[in-house]
Amino acid sequence: MAGAVPTRSARGGARAVRFVLDGAVHVARDFAPTRTVLEYLREDLGRTGTKEGCAEGDCGACTVVVGELDGARVRLRAVNACIQFLPTLDGKALFTVESLRNRASGALHPVQQALADGHGSQCGFCTPGFVMSLFALYKTDPAPDRAAVTDALAGNLCRCTGYRPIVAAAQSMYVHGRALPPEARDWVATPAAAGARAAQAGERALARSLARLVRREGLVLPHASGTFHAPRTVAELAALRARLPDARLLAGGTDVGLWVTKQRRDLGDLIYVGSVAELRTIEAAGAEMALGAAVPLTDAAAALVQRYPEFGELVRRFASPPIRNAGTLAGNVANGSPIGDTIPPLIALGARVVLRRAEKTRELPLEDLYLAYQKTALAAGEFVERVVVPARPAGLRFAAYKVSKRFDQDISAVCAGLALVLEDGRIVSARVAFGGMAATPRRAPACEAALAGATWNDATSERAAAALAHDYQPISDMRASAHYRLRVAQNLLRRFHLETTGALGRGPGQAPARLDDLREVRA
């Protein structure tokens, strides 16, 4: 059973999910904890504008926007409804494509109007997802350039229109927004940074509604298929995890969601970490940085790039904005995938993980977390509490590379993290790690031995590249052959040498050395 109830009634429902939808608090009860937001919208609420395409967060047809309290403001982010479990909406605001039309006048939202006027839709199946990704951009960036627009749309696929009219709509939607008559300038219709009084009042009203939904105690949703737990504190999480060591931990659901939508697995009891405020923090302890287990990849990536700009291209190409908005850095780390994009660069930087079981914590170097394919050193009842990234040492030369068949939203064939500390041209220390080359992300000891203590020159680069053949015996699969992977890994090391020694010597008009250096060419 589900229905919309006034905001003032929102304090109840200890065993129900409550979220704001179209200005009212919506209460959902009696559903399986793994019911997706997409299923609930289409089958329970009849909101069929949100589409199912891939059911794995790749095509963007299911994109919705979720709002969360951020101090006195409301932060909006696009997510994939097809792999987001309904209980994770508790205490948040949900916007679907039906939410955007002006309820009083029936007028289209400026994003929708821009797409309609610019002929940005043909069959229309993908259009609601594009609308919602553009709506998130419209509400968060007052003046995006073309690169920001294309990045915002990286998680949306269109099979018939082509992207030129959609990108053009992204640039013209602000014109429509600024041209709204005063009576239509509510918060939903007003673009980011616009100072309309009605819009500001609307955001404050939504923030008050969300504040009233904040729980003092954790959410528990019993169901025949398993109980959903959403503890509020890390102490509560640790006690719950120790009591239920076989329960499935859930963070962003960007991987676990596919176990339900693709593999039809029964997940049993679930423990959701996203409601633990202590795990959603990024702390600078001295020169080190500690990222909590529930920090979304979007926030973690921004913090990493601020300290290590060399992460920039890799995090831009990591999945898509809706996936990064939901998934977490710790989830990517704890998953232990041999092709987890963040892991090789973090290993190269000497990152550590803090593991917790009940009241006890321990630290491990990140590379020691992985024992075998999809097997980690986590003990029963233990979880990753945070990821610690060390301070940047003087003389560091660092690179994070990803090689895949597509620029955006593709699984790596090879991912590399390379870190050297140089002193007067001599390599004081070397840490080299690759993903996609073995059953786990792994360091390259023979390569590191060839680098340590040597002068960073062509001969050293070649010796280290040759040593990689002793470190890895990669497999062949659909993404790449073993021969290709080894050659790519060796060439990435050579590229690292060229980029860090200035040997490229690129002049005006010469081709860029990195994908991230590519820029739009005007016709």
Side-chain angles (χ1 to χ4, degrees), residues 179-523:
L180 288 171
E183 65 273 12
R185 293 178 186 173
D186 61 14
W187 181 67
V188 172
T190 305
R197 188 171 300 175
Q200 294 172 350
E203 183 178 9
R204 287 194 297 269
L206 177 56
R208 287 193 296 270
S209 294
L210 293 176
R212 285 192 282 267
L213 292 180
V214 174
R215 295 182 182 273
R216 296 185 179 91
E217 298 179 350
L219 172 67
V220 180
L221 298 172
H223 192 270
S225 63
T227 300
F228 181 93
H229 302 268
R232 296 286 301 166
T233 68
V234 70
E236 185 184 353
L237 167 63
L240 188 62
R241 180 63 170 159
R243 181 166 61 85
L244 300 172
D246 296 326
R248 179 72 58 189
L249 286 179
L250 175 69
T254 55
D255 190 35
V256 173
L258 272 67
W259 300 352
V260 174
T261 62
K262 294 298 184 181
Q263 300 176 18
R264 302 297 180 185
R265 286 168 59 176
D266 181 2
L267 301 186
D269 293 335
L270 289 171
I271 302 175
Y272 177 55
V273 303
S275 296
V276 180
E278 298 136 288
L279 297 184
R280 294 178 66 92
T281 60
I282 300 175
E283 299 175 353
E288 293 189 329
M289 180 170 63
L291 300 108
V295 172
L297 274 162
T298 296
D299 299 333
L304 287 170
V305 170
Q306 186 174 13
R307 293 201 171 200
Y308 295 94
E310 299 93 337
F311 261 107
E313 181 185 325
L314 185 141
V315 298
R316 179 186 172 204
R317 297 179 59 202
F318 187 111
S320 66
I323 293 295
R324 296 196 297 268
N325 289 339
T328 66
L329 177 68
N332 191 245
V333 165
N335 178 281
S337 169
I339 48 175
D341 282 348
T342 65
I343 301 170
L346 288 174
I347 289 176
L349 291 174
R352 310 186 304 279
V353 285
V354 177
L355 309 180
R356 178 164 177 168
R357 185 182 187 281
E359 298 300 318
K360 294 183 179 180
T361 62
R362 63 182 177 122
E363 275 196 16
L364 279 181
L366 180 55
E367 62 263 33
D368 292 345
L369 181 64
Y370 309 110
L371 305 180
Y373 178 72
Q374 295 284 285
K375 183 179 180 182
T376 69
L378 284 165
E382 198 170 37
F383 63 94
V384 176
E385 186 176 66
R386 59 188 179 273
V387 178
V388 180
V389 181
R392 186 181 190 111
L396 177 71
R397 301 294 185 271
F398 170 63
Y401 297 129
K402 173 173 179 169
V403 176
S404 59
K405 293 181 178 180
R406 298 193 308 265
F407 183 88
D408 285 316
Q409 219 179 340
D410 199 7
I411 296 173
S412 295
V414 177
C415 188
L418 305 153
L420 303 181
V421 175
L422 300 181
E423 187 176 296
D424 297 326
R426 186 176 63 86
I427 302 169
V428 177
S429 67
R431 293 179 64 92
V432 175
F434 282 91
M437 299 287 288
T440 65
R442 207 173 70 192
R443 287 176 68 178
C447 176
E448 291 177 355
L451 293 167
T455 301
W456 188 219
N457 56 26
D458 288 348
T460 300
S461 172
E462 289 303 317
R463 283 198 305 273
L468 287 172
H470 300 287
D471 287 317
Y472 302 106
Q473 291 77 46
I475 65 169
S476 295
D477 59 20
M478 292 181 67
R479 285 185 295 278
S481 68
H483 174 74
Y484 174 83
R485 283 188 162 103
L486 181 57
R487 288 294 298 272
V488 164
Q490 292 171 329
N491 286 338
L492 288 176
L493 186 61
R494 295 182 179 108
R495 170 177 161 181
F496 179 55
H497 170 253
L498 295 174
E499 290 183 348
T500 54
T501 60
L504 285 175
R506 291 192 295 115
Q510 292 186 352
R514 298 172 61 90
L515 284 173
D516 205 38
D517 293 333
L518 292 172
R519 293 293 180 265
E520 176 189 6
V521 177
R522 294 288 182 179

Side-chain angles (χ1 to χ4, degrees), residues 35 38-47:
R35 187 160 185 76
L38 175 67
E39 291 171 328
Y40 187 73
L41 287 174
R42 293 182 61 84
E43 298 172 11
D44 293 79
L45 301 188
R47 292 195 172 216

Side-chain angles (χ1 to χ4, degrees), residues 171-186:
Q171 296 165 331
S172 66
M173 61 188 181
Y174 297 92
V175 177
H176 289 277
R178 288 190 291 269
L180 288 171
E183 65 273 12
R185 293 178 186 173
D186 61 14

Side-chain angles (χ1 to χ4, degrees), residues 93-118:
L94 177 65
F95 298 85
T96 71
V97 70
E98 292 91 349
S99 304
L100 303 193
R101 181 187 286 268
N102 187 288
R103 281 178 285 171
S105 67
L108 293 178
H109 189 276
V111 173
Q112 296 168 315
Q113 194 65 58
L115 277 166
D117 290 351

